[in-house]
């Protein structure tokens, strides 16, 4: 049987695969299964905020987190309150500006993040079984380029497109 992807423009095939993968990975059921395997209760957006904090040395200002996550600061403030009530993050004084507050990932938050990442990595190892490291590295490079492009595009024009009348 012929492979339809072989006759397709590679960019079209990539767009279809990315759309399907995005859908499958962002379904709430997929995240809930992954969180259950890790033995934690954290939403997808919680995971992203914890990852952003961890990538930023464990501490960040709310505005910087909002910019990194490409959301409005009030959204991050509400989420931080929820995460603080679960002892995943804590508010700390800003050493430079005493009026400002920073958010820091707690040891418990770090442990939750590590368990979620380990569960995710175990799933990836299964999915990539038999694929050589060079192919995975090439895929990572291509996906990083797409991520960088999307971030630059959103930074240049953060407004959502308006529907045509």
């Amino acid at each position: 049987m012929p492979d339809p992807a072989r006759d397709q423009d590679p960019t079209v095939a990539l767009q279809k695969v990315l759309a399907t993968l995005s859908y499958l990975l962002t379904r709430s059921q997929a995240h809930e299964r992954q969180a259950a395997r890790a033995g934690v209760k954290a939403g997808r957006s919680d995971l992203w905020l914890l990852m952003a904090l961890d990538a930023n040395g464990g501490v960040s200002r709310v505005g910087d987190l909002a910019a990194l996550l490409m959301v409005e600061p009030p959204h991050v403030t509400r989420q931080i309150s929820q995460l603080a009530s679960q002892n995943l993050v804590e508010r700390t004084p800003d050493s430079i500006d005493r009026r400002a507050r920073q958010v820091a990932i707690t040891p418990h938050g770090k442990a939750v993040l590590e368990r979620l990442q380990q569960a995710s990595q175990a799933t990836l190892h299964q999915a990539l079984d038999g694929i050589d490291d060079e192919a995975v590295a090439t895929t990572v490079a291509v996906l990083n380029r797409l991520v960088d492009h999307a971030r630059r595009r959103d930074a240049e024009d953060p407004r959502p497109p308006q529907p045509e009348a």
Side-chain angles (χ1 to χ4, degrees):
M1 181 185 278
D3 180 5
R6 185 178 303 161
D7 300 328
Q8 208 172 50
D9 175 281
T11 303
V12 172
L14 179 60
Q15 185 276 325
K16 288 180 180 180
V17 169
L18 288 174
T20 302
L21 185 60
S22 173
Y23 171 74
L24 292 172
L25 292 177
T26 59
R27 291 181 7 251
S28 61
Q29 291 174 344
H31 173 77
E32 289 166 8
R33 271 195 305 274
Q34 194 79 1
R37 277 195 291 274
V40 300
K41 293 182 181 184
R44 283 182 311 204
S45 60
D46 297 339
L47 173 61
W48 281 104
L49 192 141
L50 292 174
M51 286 183 353
L53 269 174
D54 190 50
N56 213 32
V59 179
S60 183
R61 287 183 170 188
V62 171
D64 294 338
L65 278 173
L68 186 61
L69 296 170
M70 295 184 274
V71 297
E72 295 297 318
H75 174 77
V76 174
T77 300
R78 283 190 299 275
Q79 190 175 10
I80 288 167
S81 294
Q82 292 171 345
L83 294 176
S85 72
Q86 299 171 56
N87 190 34
L88 298 171
V89 301
E90 62 186 355
R91 291 179 176 92
T92 62
D94 188 318
S95 60
I96 297 171
D97 182 353
R98 291 196 172 285
R99 296 168 297 164
R101 304 284 283 170
Q102 291 188 319
V103 181
I105 190 169
T106 63
H108 175 63
K110 181 83 169 162
V112 165
L113 178 60
E114 286 175 8
R115 286 198 310 267
L116 284 166
Q117 289 175 326
Q118 287 171 352
S120 177
Q121 289 165 11
T123 300
L124 277 175
H125 280 292
Q126 280 182 315
L128 297 173
D129 186 41
I131 298 176
D132 65 84
D133 288 346
E134 187 176 327
V136 174
T138 299
T139 302
V140 169
V142 169
L143 294 174
N144 275 329
R145 183 167 176 170
L146 293 173
V147 167
D148 290 344
H149 175 76
R151 285 195 170 146
R152 279 193 313 274
R153 183 194 62 220
D154 286 351
E156 290 169 3
D157 187 7
R159 296 168 291 138
Q162 299 300 311
E164 294 182 23

